[in-house]
Amino acid sequence: MRITNPDSRLGAISAQIEAGERVSYDDGVYLAETADLLTLGRLANLVRERKNGNYAYYNTNIHLNPTNVCVYRCVFCAFRSDLKSPKAYTFEADGIRQRVAEAREMGATEIHVVGGLHHQKPFEWYVDVVRTIHDAWPDLHIKAWTGVEINWFSYMTKKPIRWVLEQLVDAGLGSLPGGGAEIFHPEVRDRICEHKADAQNWLDIHRTAHELGLRTNATMLYGHIEKPWHRVDHLCRLRDLQDQTGGFQTFIPLAFHPENTGLDHLPKPSGLTDLSVMALSRIMLDNFDHIKAYWIMLGEKVAQVALSFGADDLDGTVIHELIYHDAGAKTPEGLTVDQLHRMIREAGRVPVERDTLYRRVIREANGAQWKIGEPIRALMPA
Ligand code: V47
Ligand code: SF4
């Protein structure tokens, strides 16, 4: 372990984190720009173990990207398609029901639904995606539509965000995923996704969801044109909203995959960047319970090491992922529960299956049947 000089600025920030105090924006920028990886990792691990002990969580989930047709052209996206491109696809109800049947067979507790903004589909079509899933299997938690999609629905219908969310909840929506946040600062956002919901819109949508009692996640897309201070700015905006609502469950740093995108001249973020962003996120987001190492983007090896650099969650079995695989991800399209367990145990952690709302999942002997146990928080000593 590296010893930090207590009289240095890094020493003072380390002492603050060890005492459980919040790190300011300025100190966050200092850490992001100057701290060495092992110091960041040691501090992040301290915060991680305070909040989650030795546990590492995962869930059994399946993805559905109902359409790749999208009105927007985010420069970092390899997934989107024009309507008339041979690559374009759109799911109909039968395909959705088939995906739910697959989820049931594998014992999934969650379906993760995000996609493109199809300009020929009315809001009712998106509501029906949720309703079709819910009718086919009411016990499956539906985590669907990012803040960007919710913003599009409000624009299409000319109705308030609250109304849009209420229609979706009525149809069976359980929570919102964290996508669409990208990088909030306009200096970057206007260059990578100028048309979609801006930072204020994205944050207001999550605020409204929290007010309605929905839990949501948050993400940050890093490793493209942003500078370290843009990342700290992003984390501080999330931390401010979380102070006000407490509705975020987990934060997921998303590593940029350049292949087949408008930024394919850029290199993929290195393992060192992945781990330092993970650690910085854990340190800055002192009011988030969980930080997710999304193995599908990080790769299994970096995700495993990330469990000692601030992360306490690996996401899930993730069957049928397209967004990162279209952008060149070389990870498998899914992992079995046994593989996830082995990854977690090898990292010296204790695997715990959770549902979307971070409650323990208790499996029957055959694995496919489950019931919901206590909240994950109850596993930690008071
Ligand atoms: O907003 C798109 C990102 C996000 C690329 O809430 C890319 O549990 C890297 O919402 N390289 C959507 N990233 C994914 C999402 C998500 C993912 C995992 C967990 C959760 C959760 C939510 O995917 C988009 C964008 O930031 N993305 N293209 C790319 N080439
Ligand atoms: Fe469309 Fe989402 Fe891709 Fe942007 S990231 S182009 S909103 S599918």
Side-chain angles (χ1 to χ4, degrees):
M1 186 193 309
R2 195 170 290 224
I3 306 298
T4 308
N5 174 0
D7 297 328
S8 65
R9 181 164 178 191
L10 184 54
I13 301 172
S14 303
Q16 242 178 290
I17 297 168
E18 282 156 14
E21 290 165 20
R22 176 164 282 189
V23 173
S24 68
Y25 166 80
D26 285 342
D27 284 344
V29 174
Y30 183 80
L31 282 181
E33 289 178 345
T34 64
D36 61 279
L37 178 63
L38 292 185
T39 301
L40 274 181
R42 178 179 69 79
L43 295 170
N45 195 45
L46 192 75
V47 182
R48 181 239 190 265
E49 291 188 354
R50 254 185 218 146
K51 288 185 182 283
N52 290 290
N54 210 22
Y55 297 117
Y57 314 109
Y58 67 94
N59 68 344
T60 309
N61 64 352
I62 196 160
H63 279 216
L64 170 68
N65 304 125
T67 181
N68 62 354
V69 175
C70 188
V71 280
Y72 293 150
R73 290 172 181 273
C74 303
V75 68
F76 55 80
C77 179
F79 165 72
R80 77 162 296 282
S81 168
D82 287 331
L83 180 64
K84 293 196 174 149
S85 156
K87 184 188 160 194
Y89 74 83
T90 301
F91 269 69
E92 299 303 335
D94 279 351
I96 295 171
R97 281 193 278 268
Q98 208 175 315
R99 187 61 56 91
V100 175
E102 215 179 314
R104 194 193 279 268
E105 193 156 315
M106 65 182 259
T109 60
E110 167 190 289
I111 184 160
H112 171 129
V113 185
V114 294
L117 310 170
H118 193 310
H119 53 291
Q120 292 190 348
K121 297 292 181 194
F123 175 51
E124 290 67 37
W125 182 81
Y126 295 86
V127 177
D128 278 346
V129 170
V130 175
R131 189 173 290 115
T132 303
I133 298 169
H134 187 66
D135 287 351
W137 189 16
D139 287 344
L140 187 62
H141 181 101
I142 306 173
K143 181 179 76 178
W145 311 130
T146 67
V148 167
E149 285 157 319
I150 303 294
N151 184 63
W152 171 251
F153 303 155
S154 166
Y155 171 80
M156 269 200 298
T157 56
K158 315 258 180 296
K159 298 277 195 188
I161 297 296
R162 181 176 286 268
W163 180 89
V164 166
L165 289 170
E166 282 168 351
Q167 307 310 300
L168 292 166
V169 169
D170 265 4
L173 180 77
S175 63
L176 296 189
E182 323 311 0
I183 288 283
F184 288 140
H185 199 284
E187 209 173 276
V188 175
R189 199 170 187 86
D190 291 352
R191 288 174 60 199
I192 61 171
C193 54
E194 62 172 323
H195 299 295
K196 70 190 197 189
D198 65 11
Q200 203 50 54
N201 283 327
W202 191 97
L203 290 164
D204 282 347
I205 287 163
H206 283 257
R207 180 197 303 282
T208 307
H210 299 167
E211 283 167 5
L212 289 173
L214 285 172
R215 306 305 302 273
T216 76
N217 294 341
T219 59
M220 172 174 76
L221 178 68
Y222 68 89
H224 43 92
I225 60 168
E226 87 289 2
K227 302 267 189 311
W229 71 265
H230 294 122
R231 297 176 191 156
V232 179
D233 171 78
H234 188 97
L235 297 170
C236 287
R237 292 185 201 222
L238 289 172
R239 186 169 76 178
D240 286 349
L241 179 56
Q242 179 75 332
D243 274 346
Q244 295 163 40
T245 66
F248 287 118
Q249 304 201 102
T250 183
F251 174 75
I252 312 121
L254 298 174
F256 174 55
H257 280 250
E259 231 174 85
N260 306 319
T261 75
L263 295 172
D264 61 1
H265 56 286
L266 296 177
K268 243 176 88 169
S270 65
L272 192 135
T273 302
D274 290 334
L275 292 174
S276 62
V277 172
M278 190 67 66
L280 181 74
S281 307
R282 182 59 288 172
I283 291 167
M284 295 306 295
L285 294 176
D286 58 352
N287 52 5
F288 276 61
D289 285 345
H290 304 289
I291 305 286
K292 202 186 270 189
Y294 189 41
W295 65 263
I296 210 134
M297 312 191 68
L298 295 172
E300 293 127 279
K301 291 180 182 172
V302 173
Q304 200 177 25
V305 181
L307 293 176
S308 300
F309 281 76
D312 56 270
D313 194 307
L314 286 179
D315 202 86
T317 44
V318 191
I319 310 289
H320 294 299
E321 198 290 319
L322 290 181
I323 297 180
Y324 312 107
H325 288 92
D326 282 356
K330 301 288 184 289
T331 44
E333 268 196 46
L335 284 180
T336 63
V337 168
D338 285 348
Q339 285 169 315
L340 281 168
H341 273 215
R342 201 175 62 235
M343 273 170 79
I344 292 171
R345 286 198 197 284
E346 264 182 21
R349 303 295 189 189
V350 178
V352 175
E353 182 175 354
R354 59 151 180 100
D355 74 345
T356 313
L357 302 176
Y358 284 85
R359 296 169 301 186
R360 205 155 69 84
V361 172
I362 302 159
R363 296 264 164 197
E364 307 277 312
N366 71 7
Q369 304 296 318
W370 44 266
K371 62 179 193 216
I372 300 299
E374 70 277 35
I376 288 299
R377 271 171 196 250
L379 297 177
M380 293 292 295

